[in-house]
Amino acid sequence: KTFAHGHFGTCARTEMSSALPPINGVLSTSIVNQSACGHNIAATPFFGGDITLAEGASNRGRRALKTDTETIEMCRSMFSRFARGQELLRRNHGVPVLNQQEVLDMFIAYLNVQCRVPAEVIEMLQRMRSGSFMNNAGGTSGGRLQMSQACMCKEPAFFESVCESFFRSGPTVHFELFPSTTKSIEAFVSLLAFEANLRERPIKVLLPSDSHYCWGNIMTKYDVHPYLHFYRVTIGSDEIQTVRLRQDDFVLAIFTLANTVSGRTTELQWFQQTLEYVRRQGASPHVFVDAALSGCVISRDVLNLRADAPPDGVAGVLGSAIGLVQSGFKDYGLSSLLFIDDAPLECCSTVPSEVGLASTVAGGAHALIKHAPVTSIPESPTLAFLIFAREYTAFRRQSFNDFMGKLQSAIPDSVEYELRPLFPLMHIEFANEALTTALTATLVKRYSLITIDAEPRVLRLWPTPTNHDIAEAIQEWFEEVQYKN
């Protein structure tokens, strides 16, 4: 097969004979590597083993390879794992996790029936839902609106409503939409870099071991920065004591509300002790909360649906944070929401007081936007749904609790297990490892499941308003097992 040259710039392309025998012993093929100009540059085998070169110019480039059975089986095993990983990736990231259109339909019905929202408002939301369906990136079907009219997220009343719901309101609180959580974090870190340059003093970022990998990727871009320093610290350790802290140092610690893989919160007692140690050294500790998995749900309103940390303690961390990021992709495709309280940042103290929507959009941009390496998203068809953030949170809470009740009914009383809610995830820890393995193998064919080798007795579910049928699948599995026994 020939790989299209245009997709890879000036990279070399590889042409392989289309008549390949099955991989079951001796594999004979021809490989011709060509440069961008089409010249033959080399012929290299892609399997190890005994190689016999046929003599003669006519046979140049043709090679016979003998591969042992163990290598072939390893290849098949790796490809099987790759195929399964691709399928799970597609389910989790290829489309919005919560199947945005169906969820929005259910939420609109919830607003209409349970919240008694007027019919004209329901009609407006339906039109915005249709706009989202036509163009997930934002915009309208009839062309582009002028920025001063289209940029609803800069409307003061809407801006303050969203900030108060998700973070807090105040003259120093700022809110932006970015294409993804990674881009939000990149923008925030670039703001820290500019602040450090302005101060000409180090800003030290503490990166606990449960932080999302994108923090580490972004961190490497600032390895040579003279003032912005990152420190990896293992949860439960006293590695903070190896960090040199001086009087009035600006220290930022990353707190993860729900880890992408484990679903767990950063260990609260250790985190608080770390902040206290920083404070005793005379430095100024600050917190940034990574709550990407919360989606468009108000994080502080679902803390009692998380069994891994005391709600009051986590609420205290959220209340004192100078930054918060949540990923709207986890819900109805609203990109990433970034909130910051810029009061501690000197680079934001000179931002003029803006009056009117046009002034806000056309000029006087916040330092976060001026120095961000990516462009924020001024508009999205589903943006207005954030006005009903509290109602949406209640809708998701109700759905989550309903799902928990269905799970409890689905699992027989004779089975020993522990139900552990970690909103938006749900963990079921069975006493029997073999039972967990068999049930997971059955469910993974249809549902997105994350398995961790270190916890083989835990079944991890991502309940959404549209996949409650997984509880029925679990019940059917137990009934089938009992019938066979």
Side-chain angles (χ1 to χ4, degrees), residues 445-461:
K445 300 174 184 177
R446 183 174 177 183
Y447 302 97
S448 298
L449 303 178
I450 299 176
T451 58
I452 302 178
D453 293 341
E455 296 178 307
R457 293 186 292 109
V458 177
L459 178 66
R460 291 172 170 79
L461 305 177

Side-chain angles (χ1 to χ4, degrees), residues 28-47:
S28 178
T29 184
S30 67
I31 306 173
V32 180
N33 289 338
Q34 296 184 339
S35 67
C37 299
H39 300 296
N40 295 347
I41 55 175
T44 52
F46 56 92
F47 275 114

Side-chain angles (χ1 to χ4, degrees), residues 70-83:
E70 184 178 351
T71 302
I72 296 300
E73 290 304 318
M74 182 184 299
C75 178
R76 288 174 175 152
S77 174
M78 294 302 293
F79 182 79
S80 175
R81 292 172 64 90
F82 167 79

